[in-house]
């Protein structure tokens, strides 16, 4: 009897959480609908120093958008600039040392068709996050900064994909 009640309570709690929109991080639905004419997309970016181009390619590929390997095979070209990163002090402690810092990332992206006509952009995309700066534990600060940087890169890639989702084409021209 108590085991059945426990199962019922667990199922009720899970349904309540799902009904409220709760999802585990990384479990969000990545099925995004793109214009069916948005095919043979070439993504150009600084993939050695940023994960953004690779994430955009992954999103597109996972959603049935064909990826072009060369400019000559591309019907659409997404250009992503290198990420520009900046820091600023947000708060200081009683010894006038940095207590919190803000990391800001900005990237510029544009979408063109094969003929070089601009369909979107260039658009500056911007994200920022405040984090605690541990002056006495540099390793913890560096680890936290790496995690935040990855999350912000992920967010910038999502912004680009959402903008690409809004593209409406008729053949190779945007409407």
């Amino acid at each position: 009897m108590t085991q059945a009640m426990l199962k019922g309570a667990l199922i009720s709690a899970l349904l309540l959480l799902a009904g409220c929109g709760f999802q585990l991080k990384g479990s969000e639905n990545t099925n995004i609908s793109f214009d069916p004419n948005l095919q043979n997309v070439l993504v150009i970016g600084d993939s050695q120093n940023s994960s953004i181009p690779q994430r955009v390619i992954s999103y597109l590929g996972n959603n049935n958008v064909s990826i072009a390997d060369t400019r000559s095979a591309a019907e659409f070209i997404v250009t992503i600039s290198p990420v520009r990163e900046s820091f600023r002090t947000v708060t200081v402690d009683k010894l006038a040392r940095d207590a919190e810092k803000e990391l800001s990332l900005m990237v510029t992206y544009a979408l063109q068709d094969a003929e070089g006509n601009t369909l979107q952009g260039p658009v500056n995309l911007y994200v920022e996050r405040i984090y605690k700066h541990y002056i006495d534990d540099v390793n913890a600060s560096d680890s936290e900064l790496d995690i935040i940087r990855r999350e912000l890169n992920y967010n910038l890639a999502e912004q680009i994909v959402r903008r690409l989702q809004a593209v409406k084409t008729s053949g190779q021209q945007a409407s």
Side-chain angles (χ1 to χ4, degrees):
M1 178 79 176
T2 57
Q3 196 173 27
M5 290 175 54
L6 182 62
K7 284 182 183 178
L10 180 63
I11 290 172
S12 298
L14 290 174
L15 289 173
L16 178 66
L17 283 174
C20 293
F22 174 80
Q23 288 183 322
L24 292 175
K25 187 173 182 174
S27 67
E28 56 273 352
N29 187 0
T30 58
N31 290 330
I32 302 168
S33 62
F34 291 95
D35 186 307
N37 293 319
L38 187 66
Q39 295 296 321
N40 298 318
V41 177
L42 176 65
V43 178
I44 300 172
D46 184 12
S47 58
Q48 290 183 353
N49 296 318
S50 172
S51 61
I52 296 171
Q54 201 57 39
R55 287 180 193 256
V56 170
I57 290 169
S58 178
Y59 264 121
L60 294 173
N62 289 339
N63 289 284
N64 301 317
V65 175
S66 62
I67 305 299
D69 293 331
T70 63
R71 190 176 285 272
S72 61
E75 293 179 34
F76 299 95
I77 301 167
V78 176
T79 306
I80 303 170
S81 73
V83 176
R84 293 176 297 284
E85 191 174 281
S86 64
F87 295 91
R88 75 176 182 97
T89 300
V90 178
T91 60
V92 293
D93 63 11
K94 61 185 175 186
L95 299 174
R97 299 181 299 185
D98 297 342
E100 291 182 325
K101 286 188 164 188
E102 178 184 75
L103 169 63
S104 302
L105 299 181
M106 187 173 82
V107 70
T108 303
Y109 103 98
L111 174 66
Q112 297 178 324
D113 63 13
E115 288 79 39
N117 300 317
T118 300
L119 304 177
Q120 281 187 343
V123 177
N124 292 326
L125 302 174
Y126 180 81
V127 290
E128 62 186 23
R129 179 87 47 88
I130 295 173
Y131 67 97
K132 291 198 181 300
H133 180 71
Y134 303 104
I135 195 75
D136 296 327
D137 192 355
V138 176
N139 288 335
S141 285
D142 289 347
S143 295
E144 183 177 3
L145 182 59
D146 289 342
I147 291 168
I148 291 169
R149 189 178 283 120
R150 265 193 309 273
E151 289 175 358
L152 294 179
N153 276 317
Y154 182 78
N155 185 281
L156 285 169
E158 277 188 335
Q159 286 186 43
I160 292 170
V161 168
R162 296 288 176 213
R163 288 176 182 267
L164 291 173
Q165 183 184 17
V167 172
K168 301 294 180 220
T169 65
S170 57
Q172 292 184 353
Q173 299 298 319
S175 57

